[in-house]
Amino acid sequence: MAIIVSLIEAITGFLWGDLLRIPLPGGSSLGLSLMVILLIPAGIYYTIRTKFLPIRLFSEMVAVILEKPKGKEKGDLKKGKLSGLQTLIVSTATRVGMGNLVGVVAAISAGGAGAVFWMWITALIGSSTAFVEATLAQLHKRKDPLYGGFRGGPAYYIHDFFFKKAPGEELNGEIPKKKNSIALLFALSGLICWGGISQVIGNSVSSAFENAFSIKPIVSTAILVLLAAVIVLRKHATARVLDVIVPVMAGLYFALTIFVILRNIGSLPTVFQRIFSEAFGLRQMVAGGFGAVVMNGVKRGLFSNEAGSGSAPCAAAAADTDHPAKIGLFQAMGVFIDTIVICSCTAFIMLLVPEEQIVNLQGMDILQTAMAYHFGSFGKIFIAIILWLFSFSTFLGILFYARSNISYIFGDNWVSQTGYKIFALIMLFVGGLAQYTVVWDMGDMGVGLMTIFNLLVMYPLSKEALNALKDYEERLKLERQENK
């Protein structure tokens, strides 16, 4: 057991630890992890190749979300068919989690207010990456004989790449018996990652409820696992429940943040001044902390929005749509919602508190103190509830992701599908009762390996996504000309 733990820690350190250090003025240095080295250039590359899609097509991203679904785009949960908006909700459920709360606080604590700016930049370029991987998932999706509708993700487009399958080929076929090793490794990495995250979720929820309500971990964990089991062990309940939870939790958190901002509107210019001045500030360079500012923002942005990791495409592939690029736009907007909106909410809640109120505090203590400053005793209760919603929806979302990976590894059967769900529920229960550091590493290792296998194939396949984008824009142009 000790050998396995050491191996997980070593792999995690290699993936997320500082692989290179670049000296900076003032004695500071910029530490670059393998994930940063892989994901940031990928984001820049896809941003350029899509002609700055997040900025150029932002209005279209909003339009596809707001437009009324028509025909097959409406989705039919009873038949396993999901609309583009429903798959966005599923992916948002997993993106919006504990990282948006404690992770953002930790990034600001370590890197200062300037870390927020670098989170925004990371989200901007990550949106292009999210577009490409989601569009590829749509192009290479398969019909799902178990749940109905469609399934897919990186394991499937990796498979098609190595077996020279064209987009849409084998759309009506079952999982081929001959599998690709890289696709298998991606699918297995995902299952490892989501198993680790299940334990982290259990621990986060039980700790929050013990602090806020003095509820014993065994009680809060048992209730959490029971509720999760009722939902995930039913065929089509996951997407239906997330349809309700995600808009409510994101809306509540956003509404409270707006209230905080309006209540402290006079301090808002000072907050923005802090964010921008510390993002490039000479004070940070001289003090040797500029590298910490950049890297804390970048790493938090990458970990939170998941662009490039290959997880969200597992949901994107399930959408029933009239054009694959439209789902790419949905998922690009998902990165914006996660980082620019939800992560910024946490940042503003924290930065609108006098610094002396939160000095020498860490993690959840900072957030709870900030909420108590803004809302009194209600703030502590609200954070516990919103963390529960964030964590619970993440658990449901990752088990939706797992479906396609389980099918690729084990084939189309209910035994393997149910077996993994039971395994995840056990991990959720164990995590609620005790905290294991190695579990965090297991999740980090899984998502790191997923990213490597995903990006390996995204580069050569990206032309398919770019062609889909070109076709979509040409259709839009024709529609607008006809409507004149």
Side-chain angles (χ1 to χ4, degrees), residues 32-332:
L32 301 177
S33 69
L34 180 60
M35 289 298 99
V36 170
I37 292 170
L38 291 176
L39 284 167
I40 295 301
I44 294 170
Y45 174 75
Y46 295 127
T47 300
I48 294 170
R49 291 299 306 276
T50 59
K51 300 175 183 176
F52 294 86
L53 175 144
I55 299 170
R56 186 172 59 86
L57 292 178
F58 183 77
S59 60
E60 182 61 23
M61 287 157 57
V62 175
V64 296
I65 290 176
L66 296 179
E67 75 177 4
K68 189 176 180 180
K70 53 186 182 292
K72 69 176 185 176
E73 287 185 317
K74 290 182 179 179
D76 187 347
L77 288 175
K78 290 182 180 179
K79 296 179 181 178
K81 294 181 178 180
L82 274 67
S83 67
L85 181 58
Q86 286 167 328
T87 58
L88 171 63
I89 287 172
V90 171
S91 60
T92 301
T94 61
R95 284 190 177 112
V96 177
M98 191 177 177
N100 298 79
L101 300 177
V102 182
V104 173
V105 172
I108 296 172
S109 298
V116 178
F117 172 82
W118 295 106
M119 278 195 316
W120 293 339
I121 296 298
T122 304
L124 195 64
I125 63 174
S127 293
S128 301
T129 307
F131 169 84
V132 172
E133 61 182 354
T135 304
L136 287 175
Q138 265 291 310
L139 288 167
H140 293 268
K141 67 186 179 183
R142 309 286 204 280
K143 283 193 172 180
D144 190 337
L146 289 180
Y147 293 95
F150 300 97
R151 48 104 184 277
Y156 295 78
Y157 58 71
I158 290 171
H159 174 94
D160 287 353
F161 171 75
F162 283 104
F163 284 100
K164 309 299 181 186
K165 299 288 183 182
E169 203 172 330
E170 289 189 0
L171 182 63
N172 298 309
E174 294 185 358
I175 303 292
K177 290 183 179 179
K178 187 178 181 181
K179 297 179 175 64
N180 172 258
S181 57
I182 302 297
L184 279 171
L185 286 171
F186 172 87
L188 183 60
S189 298
L191 299 184
I192 291 171
C193 171
W194 300 322
I197 289 173
S198 297
Q199 276 208 25
V200 172
I201 289 169
N203 186 260
S204 301
V205 170
S206 64
S207 299
F209 269 66
E210 188 173 22
N211 292 335
F213 307 110
S214 299
I215 297 175
K216 292 183 179 180
I218 184 66
V219 176
S220 58
T221 302
I223 294 171
L224 176 69
V225 172
L226 183 62
L227 283 173
V230 169
I231 295 167
V232 302
L233 294 176
R234 294 176 66 187
K235 191 174 181 180
H236 297 307
T238 297
R240 190 175 292 112
V241 171
L242 289 177
D243 268 355
V244 176
I245 291 180
V246 173
V248 169
M249 71 180 190
L252 277 174
Y253 197 53
F254 183 68
L256 256 71
T257 304
I258 295 299
F259 174 79
V260 170
I261 290 173
L262 292 175
R263 194 178 176 189
N264 299 273
I265 195 73
S267 303
L268 200 58
T270 306
V271 170
F272 276 108
Q273 185 182 8
R274 276 189 64 192
I275 290 172
F276 289 109
S277 65
E278 292 186 23
F280 302 99
L282 291 174
R283 181 171 65 85
Q284 280 71 29
M285 286 193 181
V286 173
F290 182 66
V293 174
V294 177
M295 279 303 102
N296 277 283
V298 169
K299 286 179 181 178
R300 176 45 44 200
L302 291 175
F303 200 83
S304 182
N305 64 53
E306 299 181 356
S309 71
S311 52
C314 297
D320 199 7
T321 183
D322 61 353
H323 201 287
K326 186 178 285 188
I327 304 306
L329 293 174
F330 268 109
Q331 293 302 324

Side-chain angles (χ1 to χ4, degrees), residues 287-437:
F290 182 66
V293 174
V294 177
M295 279 303 102
N296 277 283
V298 169
K299 286 179 181 178
R300 176 45 44 200
L302 291 175
F303 200 83
S304 182
N305 64 53
E306 299 181 356
S309 71
S311 52
C314 297
D320 199 7
T321 183
D322 61 353
H323 201 287
K326 186 178 285 188
I327 304 306
L329 293 174
F330 268 109
Q331 293 302 324
M333 191 63 178
V335 173
F336 177 89
I337 292 169
D338 170 81
T339 308
I340 305 295
V341 178
I342 304 298
C343 285
S344 295
C345 285
T346 303
F348 283 117
I349 286 172
M350 178 182 170
L351 294 173
L352 285 168
V353 175
E355 288 188 61
E356 63 271 14
Q357 295 275 341
I358 54 176
V359 68
N360 297 325
L361 296 179
Q362 291 184 339
M364 185 60 78
D365 289 338
I366 294 177
L367 193 54
Q368 288 180 329
T369 301
M371 289 298 288
Y373 173 81
H374 294 301
F375 299 102
S377 57
F378 169 76
K380 189 176 182 180
I381 295 170
F382 176 80
I383 280 297
I385 293 171
I386 207 74
L387 178 61
W388 190 92
L389 288 171
F390 279 16
S391 300
F392 186 62
S393 63
T394 297
F395 182 76
L396 299 182
I398 60 178
L399 284 187
F400 187 94
Y401 286 173
R403 291 179 183 181
S404 58
N405 287 12
I406 293 166
S407 291
Y408 187 79
I409 297 173
F410 302 105
D412 293 311
N413 62 80
W414 287 112
V415 174
S416 57
Q417 291 285 336
T418 306
Y420 186 79
K421 290 174 182 177
I422 292 171
F423 163 72
L425 288 165
I426 291 171
M427 295 286 274
L428 186 67
F429 183 77
V430 172
L433 301 183
Q435 183 175 1
Y436 300 99
T437 307

Side-chain angles (χ1 to χ4, degrees), residues 14 17-21 31-34 37:
F14 174 73
D18 291 340
L19 198 63
L20 296 174
R21 295 204 72 87
L32 301 177
S33 69
L34 180 60
I37 292 170

